[in-house]
Every structure is written in C-alpha cells, then in structure tokens.
Amino acid sequence: MEPLKHWQGEHVVIRFDEATGAWIIIAIHSTRLGPAGGGTRMKMYPSFDLALQDALNLARAMTLKFAVTEHAFGGGKAVIALPQNFDARERANLLRRYGALVHQLGGTFYTGPDVGTASSDMDVIAETGAPYVFGRTPGAGGAGDSGPITALGVFTGIQVACEQLYGSSDLRGRRVLVQGAGSVGGTLIHHLREADAVALFSDVDARAIQHFRAELGIELIAPEKIYATACDIFSPCALGGILNRETIARLNCRAIVGGANNQLAEMHDAERLRARGILYAPDYVVNIGGAMGITGIEALGWTRAEAEQRVRDTVQRVLRRVFAIAAAEQITTENAARQIAAERLEKSQ
Ligand code: PHE
C-alpha cells in the first residue's frame, strides 16, 4: 500500500473478481471540480502493485486533464487487471460485474474507453453501470470511440509545437514518428498524411503493421530503434513511462507531442528533456480530446463538429500558454501546465 501514501487522492475502491481472478481497481483522485471521470483500462500487469500504481497515476492525470479542459469533472480511473490465464469468454460477465460496481458508486465515478477497452465494452458496462458510462457505440446511443477525437487534439498539439519551433504550423515535410498505431496513433497518422507530413510509425501488433506498412506504405521503425530515430516530432501514442533517463539520452527529435498518458517516468524527466533542448508538450494537455470531446457530446449536448472545434481550440490555447509560461519563467513545460491546472483547481475552492 506504499503508493497510496504519496498519492494525495481521495480514495480507492478495490474488488477481487473471484470468478476470473481479475482485480478491479477504481481510483478516485479528485472530485473537487465534479464527479471523478476517467477511462477503464483493461490489461494484464506483472503484479497487483503495478496495477494499483498505474490506476493511481492515471487518476491523477485525469484530474489535471479535466482542470485544463474546464469541464466540471474531477479525476478518476479504473484498472481491470486481468490474470495471466484469463478466459476471454468471461469478458462480458466481468464487465457487467464491474458495471455494477460503477453503478453502486452512484455517480462518484464516470467512466469511458481506455487502453484495452472499446465502445463495444462500454455498451456491456452500461447494462449494469448506467448512467455513468461514456463512449458507448452510436447504435447504443453513445458518442463512440474516443480515439479519433483524441488524435485530433494531438494533431493540433503537433501544429502548435511546430509553430513554436519553426515559426509555422505548416507540417509539410516534417517527420513525425508515431509510437503505437492504435485507436489514437492510427488516426493521427491519417491526419499527418493529409497535412503532407512524413509519418513514421512503430507498433508490435501484426494487424497494425500490415495495415500501415504494407497497405499505406508508411515506414515502420523497429522497437529498438524508436528513440534514436531522427525526426522533428516524436509522438508517443502507446503506453506511459517511456520518457526516462535512458530513453531521453538517446532521443533525436525536436519535440514530443503524443496521446499516451503519463509519458514521463518521473517528474525529473521533464528537467532532463529541457536540459536536452527538447520541447515537451505535456501529455494531459494534448490528449484531452477523448475525455473533453466525448463528455462534451454526451453530457453537454455538443454536436460532433462543435466538439472537434472546441478540442482543437483548447489544445491550441492551453499549449501556447504552456510554452509561453515555460519560456518566461524558465521552468519546464510540465511545471507550466501544472500551474495552469492548479489555478483552475484553486479557483473552484
Ligand atoms: N481514455 C480517456 C483518457 O485517458 C478517458 C475517457 C474517454 C474519459 C472518454 C471519458 C470519456 O483521457
């Protein structure tokens, strides 16, 4: 329980699902701005402790993210840590039991899709977890997958980073390496191609490789070469913790702008990036699109076009401000973004 001592969140609900051997962890980091909102991550972890730590870190990131979007939501996250021998036929039943738990929390926690879950899973969770589930399929009355609108925000972040680096948001000819061509990274690659940027990608999934390399002709970078590959923008769109002492020393990019949550392994990595002169766009500023867009459409009645425009405007406005504060105060962009989030959290007291 050591991680909980340093977390400064509100509380955590933990349930062992006896039928499957999965752990369900719902971390409520902050309800200061409203009910805690955050996706449901479902995957295998090497240990329970790592699953708990991930849930805590991801919930904290959601607090920062919603503070930046100015939506009336706090931060939370659910992790469903699957056992090694998980029987995929149990998936729907597990999700229903999880939904019942979300329902029991009575609106303290709202959820949506995340790594390892899709809109179709949200439909199942909503059977027992309604009305606290965002991102169901359009057929079930939801706004669908949160990946594409997240990618739009990341794409906007890349434009803002180029404006900062090169004085123009024009992406023509800029080399952008996308780590992870999944729901967010895959859509991002399409936006980059439309803007005539040079997209490169890395992935370990055979289907993604087949689609992006064989069918679209995009250059595939081998996993061991990702960090040292020369590019203008490195865009982490897979899992977190990838920016650390070891990888930062090898980076050969001008800026980092990606959709993955918790890219920095530790706070000090922001200093390491600054020392290397690499412009870091804080993840929870550029990846707000899913959380902001999907909750905007479903809870605030925005049209899709309106949601897209608001996501783009917010990423642009906040990221420009982050870069300006960091330059003026000679602090890391991560600290500048935390200041902006803290302002909003304090205002609401
Ligand atoms: N996966 C989203 C994120 O990390 C969470 C989310 C998606 C929350 C959709 C609400 C609705 O930001």
Side-chain angles (χ1 to χ4, degrees):
M1 291 300 134
E2 198 58 27
L4 275 168
K5 291 189 192 163
H6 312 285
W7 179 52
Q8 295 171 321
E10 292 179 15
H11 59 261
V12 185
V13 174
I14 299 174
R15 179 174 296 176
F16 182 64
D17 185 65
E18 215 178 332
T20 58
W23 284 99
I24 298 173
I25 304 166
I26 302 177
I28 310 289
H29 181 260
S30 168
T31 54
R32 194 186 286 179
L33 299 177
T40 299
R41 182 165 295 207
M42 183 153 80
K43 66 187 210 64
M44 289 176 194
Y45 286 85
S47 69
F48 171 81
D49 284 21
L50 290 172
L52 174 62
Q53 186 70 67
D54 207 23
L56 300 180
N57 294 344
L58 289 163
R60 180 173 47 210
M62 290 307 302
T63 299
L64 296 169
K65 197 178 306 194
F66 278 120
V68 163
T69 66
E70 310 211 334
H71 271 195
F73 278 101
K77 199 87 177 193
V79 160
I80 302 181
L82 299 173
Q84 296 300 326
N85 60 352
F86 181 66
D87 179 351
R89 285 170 304 186
E90 278 299 309
R91 188 180 179 99
N93 285 328
L94 170 61
L95 290 176
R96 281 186 204 105
R97 288 190 290 273
Y98 163 66
L101 181 57
V102 170
H103 184 82
Q104 226 173 45
L105 295 179
T108 309
F109 177 66
Y110 280 73
T111 199
D114 197 74
V115 173
T117 60
S119 286
S120 50
D121 297 312
M122 297 306 121
D123 291 353
V124 178
I125 297 168
E127 287 173 25
T128 48
Y132 312 116
V133 185
F134 289 110
R136 285 168 300 147
T137 62
D145 187 11
S146 55
I149 194 161
T150 309
L152 191 66
V154 177
F155 177 72
T156 306
I158 292 173
Q159 291 178 315
V160 175
C162 283
E163 175 188 89
Q164 175 79 12
L165 291 172
Y166 309 115
S168 162
S169 60
D170 190 344
L171 299 188
R172 248 175 301 171
R174 298 284 173 219
R175 280 166 66 88
V176 183
L177 170 53
V178 180
Q179 179 181 40
S183 170
V184 176
T187 311
L188 177 61
I189 291 173
H190 290 291
H191 288 306
L192 291 169
R193 278 163 57 97
E194 272 166 36
D196 289 326
V198 180
L200 318 167
F201 84 111
S202 73
D203 206 307
V204 286
D205 179 70
R207 260 187 309 172
I209 293 174
Q210 166 69 18
H211 178 65
F212 289 99
R213 185 174 62 167
E215 292 165 26
L216 299 183
I218 295 173
E219 187 180 342
L220 174 71
I221 306 295
E224 68 278 9
K225 298 213 174 101
I226 296 171
Y227 302 104
T229 296
C231 55
D232 293 287
I233 310 282
F234 172 50
S235 183
C237 292
L239 294 175
I242 42 100
L243 300 175
N244 52 51
R245 181 198 291 275
E246 192 252 328
T247 57
I248 291 170
R250 284 153 56 199
L251 286 174
N252 195 0
C253 61
R254 297 285 311 275
I256 297 169
V257 187
N261 282 308
N262 297 337
Q263 294 165 25
L264 302 173
E266 50 174 330
M267 269 301 267
H268 188 64
D269 292 314
E271 283 296 347
R272 294 192 172 106
L273 288 167
R274 193 166 99 91
R276 285 220 46 209
I278 297 170
L279 183 67
Y280 172 65
D283 45 17
Y284 54 85
V285 173
V286 294
N287 73 12
I288 57 171
M292 179 181 181
I294 300 294
T295 56
I297 293 169
E298 294 187 17
L300 304 174
W302 297 351
T303 63
R304 168 132 331 238
E306 201 178 339
E308 290 180 352
Q309 195 54 48
R310 285 181 188 253
V311 165
R312 296 199 57 144
D313 290 348
T314 305
V315 170
Q316 188 180 65
R317 176 172 45 81
V318 179
L319 192 55
R320 280 182 182 160
R321 204 169 151 225
V322 164
F323 290 157
I325 293 174
E329 298 185 16
Q330 294 291 301
I331 56 174
T332 64
T333 50
E334 175 71 18
N335 279 331
R338 290 208 181 208
Q339 272 186 24
I340 293 173
E343 263 169 35
R344 169 93 207 284
L345 286 160
E346 274 153 28
K347 245 197 303 187
S348 73
Q349 266 186 330

